[in-house]
Amino acid sequence: MDGHDSPQTPKGSLRKFLEQLSGAGKAIGVLTSGGDAQGMNAAVRAVVRMGIYVGAKVYFIYEGYQGMVDGGSNIVEADWESVSSILQVGGTIIGSARCQDFRTREGRLKAACNLVQLGITSLCVIGGDGSLTGAHIFQTEWSGLLEELARDGKISTEQAQKHGHLNVVGMVGSIDNDFCGTDMTIGTDSALHRIIEVVDAIMTTAQSHQRTFVLEVMGRHCGYLALVSALACGADWVFLPESPPEEGWQENMCIKLSENRARKKRLNIIIVAEGAIDTQNKPITSEQIKELVVTQLGYDTRVTILGHVQRGGTPSAFDRILASRMGVEAVVALLQATPETPACVVSLSGNQAVRLPLMECVQMTQEVQKAMDERRFKDAVRLRGRSFENNLNTYKRLAIKLPDSEIPKSNCNVGVVNVGAPAAGMNAAVRAAVRVGISEGHKMFAVYDGFEGFAKGQIKEIGWGDVGGWTGQGGSILGTKRTLPGKYLEDIAAQMRTHGISALLIIGGFETCDRIKQSASGTKRRVFIIETMGGFCGYLANMGGLAAGADAAYIFEEPFDIRDLQSNVEHLTEKMKTSIQRGLVLRNESCSENYTTDFIYQLYSEEGKGVFDCRKNVLGHMQQGGAPSPFDRNFGTKISARAMQWISSKLRESVGKGKKFLSEDSVCVLGISKRTLLFQPVAELKKETDFEHRIPKEQWWLKLRPLMKILAKYKVSFEVSDASQLEPVQPRGPEEPAAI
């Protein structure tokens, strides 16, 4: 859903912004290279629209570097409408190809000649480390290539001088998430969706027949997909290239599988990265694993190789938003670049956009492979980054239970309770809390039906096996109510005394839900008006709007009046005159008392008469339903495991301090703040919270509001990333990174 010109004109501060970021006279080339990844189209769309928005010319370079070498009809100027309705399309509309010619100087000479003829001196490359390395080589050779072309009379001396330097910005499009320095690469989240859909489907058939499934996922040199999908589905065993199993793994794995069967678990899932190896660097194949299980245990075992299914399908909301943010950031980086600026990669750190030196990232990525080749596997895991390391440690803690005799007892009882509205991912969080708690030596207690159930004593001890298979379940298995604890405080205190509960993990809060699925491609000349949940918090409407390419998203945090509604209607009327004849408008359920969904629907219907018709849809509780996304499963798992470790450290600190041990930070909320996981005392949070509307006083995602408007062709000011300077790759500070 894509916009057209707005009647609004730039104001003073905005004019200044546009002058600072003027692309007048600049020509940007955009190409996708290497393996395709879902979300590449969203990145291409953002580059084209942001480039045109600031006055630059933007050129599609079809078929990757091959198109650049061949020139001619492979390099075509793009316009606003040429990237309409591609957000939700997988793959890449401009094609991608492996190119041998570009590896030769001869090929790069042809490519440089083709770019200079069109005045293209800014290049945005979307691809993996090979593609980005090629771009770096091209940039370093550029002036030499131009001198040679001028000497041979292929370009004029003036052209060589005028276009004397090339600026390069990379975006990593790779489903393997195998690029160092970036939390998530474009396509990884969508690939995880495909894997988890298959695992969820397989689980039902495997349980019916008591089967073992060996699932092979992509990742020739990187085990990220295998590791995170193993975390997300609670797999029994996982094989990764970076962390091969120890000698004797065959026996250990069979013992683990038979123990799980003995606990009445009807299925076993083993996940294998296609590049899995043993400690001697010999391949471990899915067929080998199947043979082992069949001969040693006699289990009915099947192999499923996912292959290119993982690259296919519609990009997830996460990938669309990531790629849109990166695309805009890439154009800003190109406009701010000077002849001295080295090639950079735009990347995500926590929820912040950052720029990193391209070659440092590439070298670090190559270092991982070198460490694996030299069998320095601990180094390989460390070089992959803190997030990968944490994922691996969390998986090990949750998958393998030590014998009771080896776990030192803490003599502490810890309760887990769900409160507020059910949110996808809650069950994954409970599973992680219970298993980490048990491995820390605590007795874990489940509290059923929120604070109300707590007061009534609906509490029972919960064991390791009781939470098996919980990660993929939607809703809340423990049950949850929206009742506040106020009137039950004395009863809850009595129950805590009765059960000797020394610490409590509460999962829930102001209704939180990271699930929104928008699809609003429809017939011509139609505007969809969609109402989303979220109470007074406009996150779902705003981010859903960005992911679906909406024309407007009305939210409580940004007050609007009838003039804004009128200007949006005019905007859509103009848009219908172009070839983009669809519109999408999102409205947060509590954004305005008077401008209801019905009112907006009636206003649009009346004002759009003869130009477009309207449809409305209230999404309601379907947003809370369904199976949790891979992101929710992993975020729930990791954040909950981290919370239990924190509780354990607080309990250890309190030993010997009598019955009451209370300090400022003994009641904390754990969440992401910018780039790190942060424990924030509730006392501090009080100052930052709007309790009447149950939202923070400052919302980080409001910075992304202008993004949606720019990509829908409204004139607005845009705050560029916090740091327009290059950052070092992976500073290993004391704080914990917020990556998934």
Side-chain angles (χ1 to χ4, degrees):
M1 304 306 141
D2 309 85
H4 196 67
D5 269 320
S6 146
Q8 300 159 0
T9 52
K11 300 186 177 71
S13 62
L14 170 57
R15 267 196 214 100
K16 192 170 153 205
F17 157 81
L18 287 173
E19 280 159 21
Q20 281 175 346
L21 274 185
S22 171
K26 281 220 173 198
I28 299 171
V30 59
L31 71 139
T32 51
S33 176
D36 66 311
Q38 307 95 320
M40 278 184 166
N41 285 329
V44 169
R45 170 181 177 267
V47 170
V48 169
R49 293 205 162 170
M50 185 64 178
I52 292 171
Y53 187 86
V54 294
K57 279 185 172 184
V58 185
Y59 288 86
F60 284 150
I61 300 172
Y62 287 99
E63 309 305 337
Y65 287 117
Q66 193 64 55
M68 203 195 288
V69 173
D70 295 343
S73 61
N74 288 301
I75 307 176
V76 178
E77 190 175 349
D79 63 19
W80 193 268
E81 289 164 39
S82 52
V83 288
S84 164
S85 298
I86 66 168
L87 252 179
Q88 69 280 17
V89 180
T92 161
I93 60 157
I94 55 176
S96 176
R98 314 267 177 197
C99 175
Q100 289 307 317
D101 293 349
F102 194 75
R103 293 171 183 265
T104 66
R105 187 173 170 85
E106 195 54 45
R108 293 194 289 275
L109 272 169
K110 285 183 192 167
C113 185
N114 291 328
L115 294 189
V116 168
Q117 303 295 1
L118 295 166
I120 299 171
T121 54
S122 295
L123 213 50
C124 181
V125 181
I126 307 162
D129 60 339
S131 309
L132 299 181
T133 306
H136 170 74
I137 293 166
F138 196 40
Q139 185 193 32
T140 50
E141 287 183 356
W142 181 259
S143 53
L145 293 170
L146 263 53
E147 278 170 27
E148 193 174 325
L149 287 169
R151 247 195 342 266
D152 296 347
K154 301 226 174 112
I155 60 169
S156 66
T157 316
E158 293 76 50
Q159 280 178 309
Q161 282 167 348
K162 187 181 173 190
H163 305 302
H165 65 272
L166 176 74
N167 285 315
V168 171
V169 172
M171 279 184 271
V172 191
S174 160
I175 67 164
D176 294 341
N177 204 20
D178 55 356
F179 196 78
C180 292
T182 172
D183 282 356
M184 280 292 252
T185 58
I186 296 166
T188 304
D189 187 65
S190 302
L192 284 171
H193 271 76
R194 296 299 90 80
I195 295 167
I196 294 304
E197 281 161 16
V198 171
V199 170
D200 287 351
I202 277 174
M203 276 183 154
T204 51
T205 174
Q207 277 181 324
S208 307
H209 297 278
Q210 287 204 341
R211 281 191 176 131
T212 297
F213 267 87
V214 181
L215 203 70
E216 186 180 302
V217 301
M218 279 186 165
R220 207 168 306 139
H221 305 291
C222 177
Y224 181 88
L225 286 179
L227 175 57
V228 175
S229 44
L231 254 182
C233 71
D236 297 85
W237 203 272
V238 65
F239 291 90
L240 315 170
E242 295 90 343
S243 180
E246 290 164 9
E247 294 291 331
W249 62 266
Q250 293 90 337
E251 192 185 340
N252 294 339
M253 185 183 79
C254 290
I255 290 169
K256 169 89 195 301
L257 296 180
S258 52
E259 278 175 0
N260 283 351
R261 281 287 168 96
R263 287 196 196 108
K264 305 279 190 291
K265 191 176 176 187
R266 291 179 62 84
L267 79 157
N268 302 112
I269 293 215
I270 300 165
I271 294 186
V272 193
E274 62 178 326
I277 48 174
D278 64 15
T279 47
Q280 302 308 307
N281 280 13
K282 290 198 178 77
I284 296 176
T285 67
S286 31
E287 279 301 329
Q288 247 175 288
I289 296 161
K290 175 190 167 176
E291 283 303 305
L292 179 72
V293 176
V294 171
T295 51
Q296 295 294 314
L297 300 170
Y299 292 168
D300 183 1
T301 306
R302 304 294 159 97
V303 172
T304 300
I305 297 174
L306 286 188
H308 282 74
V309 166
Q310 293 157 87
R311 286 195 192 280
T314 304
S316 65
F318 183 94
D319 272 330
R320 295 184 204 190
I321 293 165
L322 170 69
S324 299
R325 288 181 69 183
M326 298 301 98
V328 169
E329 184 70 26
V331 173
V332 173
L334 285 169
L335 295 182
Q336 290 179 334
T338 65
E340 289 71 50
T341 308
C344 76
V345 172
V346 289
S347 164
L348 193 69
S349 177
N351 57 32
Q352 308 281 296
V354 293
R355 298 179 200 170
L356 303 163
L358 187 147
M359 273 327 283
E360 276 187 44
C361 295
V362 168
Q363 279 155 4
M364 198 156 171
T365 305
Q366 290 166 349
E367 278 294 311
V368 181
Q369 188 56 48
K370 193 172 169 226
M372 293 192 314
D373 292 342
E374 293 171 3
R375 312 214 309 250
R376 291 182 288 112
F377 296 110
K378 281 194 174 134
D379 288 348
V381 169
R382 185 180 53 78
L383 286 163
R384 274 273 179 247
R386 287 269 289 277
S387 165
F388 188 92
E389 217 171 336
N390 293 345
N391 278 331
L392 186 56
N393 293 335
T394 305
Y395 174 77
K396 285 177 177 170
R397 288 197 79 162
L398 298 180
I400 298 158
K401 181 182 184 291
L402 289 170
D404 289 342
S405 55
E406 287 178 36
I407 303 173
K409 296 285 170 279
S410 69
N411 298 321
C412 291
N413 295 351
V414 179
V416 183
V417 61
N418 286 345
V419 301
M426 272 185 164
N427 298 320
V430 173
R431 170 184 175 266
V434 168
R435 291 196 168 179
V436 171
I438 290 169
S439 70
E440 295 271 353
H442 311 317
K443 251 190 193 178
M444 298 301 295
F445 287 84
V447 179
Y448 294 86
D449 291 337
F451 290 124
E452 205 176 301
F454 206 162
K456 292 177 183 165
Q458 291 170 300
I459 304 162
K460 70 172 206 197
E461 191 178 343
I462 188 164
W464 185 277
D466 298 333
V467 290
W470 278 31
T471 39
Q473 305 280 330
S476 163
I477 295 172
L478 292 184
T480 177
K481 294 241 171 98
R482 286 192 176 185
T483 328
L484 292 170
K487 59 178 179 179
Y488 298 114
L489 282 177
E490 284 184 14
D491 293 340
I492 289 173
Q495 291 293 345
M496 287 182 82
R497 278 196 296 277
T498 307
H499 292 88
I501 291 173
S502 345
L504 190 61
L505 178 63
I506 302 171
I507 300 164
F510 289 171
E511 282 75 65
T512 47
C513 186
D514 175 56
R515 292 179 50 79
I516 184 163
K517 287 185 179 171
Q518 292 295 5
S519 65
S521 55
T523 51
K524 293 280 178 95
R525 295 184 186 278
R526 180 160 289 174
V527 174
F528 288 85
I529 296 161
I530 311 266
E531 182 185 300
T532 67
M533 290 175 84
F536 287 95
C537 176
Y539 178 85
L540 288 180
N542 187 65
M543 301 308 257
L546 187 53
D551 296 281
Y554 301 118
I555 60 172
F556 170 76
E557 291 88 345
E558 196 174 273
F560 58 96
D561 59 23
I562 195 74
R563 288 184 297 273
D564 297 304
L565 292 172
Q566 185 59 39
S567 116
N568 293 145
V569 171
E570 286 167 17
H571 179 94
L572 280 162
T573 309
E574 282 299 307
K575 175 182 170 181
M576 295 297 167
K577 293 175 186 171
T578 71
S579 62
I580 313 167
Q581 298 184 344
R582 288 166 312 282
L584 175 66
V585 174
L586 276 78
R587 177 189 175 274
N588 160 255
E589 59 183 351
S590 305
C591 66
S592 164
E593 213 174 315
N594 298 315
Y595 298 128
T596 60
T597 303
D598 284 334
F599 176 90
I600 292 172
Y601 167 68
Q602 283 158 2
L603 175 80
Y604 273 68
S605 297
E606 182 60 36
E607 295 293 320
K609 256 187 191 159
V611 184
F612 56 80
D613 68 349
C614 289
R615 293 285 185 276
K616 66 172 179 171
N617 191 348
V618 176
L619 292 182
H621 283 78
M622 66 167 278
Q623 293 159 83
Q624 289 180 338
S629 67
F631 181 96
D632 281 335
R633 297 180 194 200
N634 288 320
F635 188 54
T637 298
K638 285 178 74 169
I639 206 164
S640 182
R642 187 70 196 83
M644 277 311 304
Q645 289 166 332
W646 180 85
I647 282 174
S648 297
S649 67
K650 288 283 160 203
L651 289 171
R652 279 194 289 272
E653 282 171 26
S654 68
V655 173
K657 296 195 178 175
K659 278 194 176 176
K660 288 189 181 174
F661 171 68
L662 194 68
S663 65
E664 262 301 283
D665 66 345
S666 58
V667 183
C668 275
V669 171
L670 172 60
I672 289 180
S673 175
K674 291 194 174 169
R675 303 189 197 176
T676 51
L677 282 179
L678 193 67
F679 286 92
Q680 208 162 1
V682 170
E684 276 178 30
L685 278 176
K686 274 185 185 170
K687 301 172 210 149
E688 297 168 22
T689 305
D690 168 354
F691 278 93
E692 185 193 343
H693 298 107
R694 303 173 68 169
I695 54 176
K697 287 177 183 169
E698 271 187 45
Q699 302 265 40
W700 69 268
W701 51 265
L702 281 173
K703 279 185 191 170
L704 304 183
R705 282 286 286 168
L707 254 188
M708 189 189 83
K709 293 180 181 177
I710 285 171
L711 297 177
K713 219 174 191 177
Y714 282 88
K715 304 261 192 296
V716 290
S717 59
F718 174 63
E719 185 184 326
V720 297
S721 68
D722 294 349
S724 57
Q725 301 304 311
L726 287 186
E727 300 203 0
V729 184
Q730 284 191 346
R732 289 177 70 87
E735 71 283 348
E736 186 160 346
I740 304 300

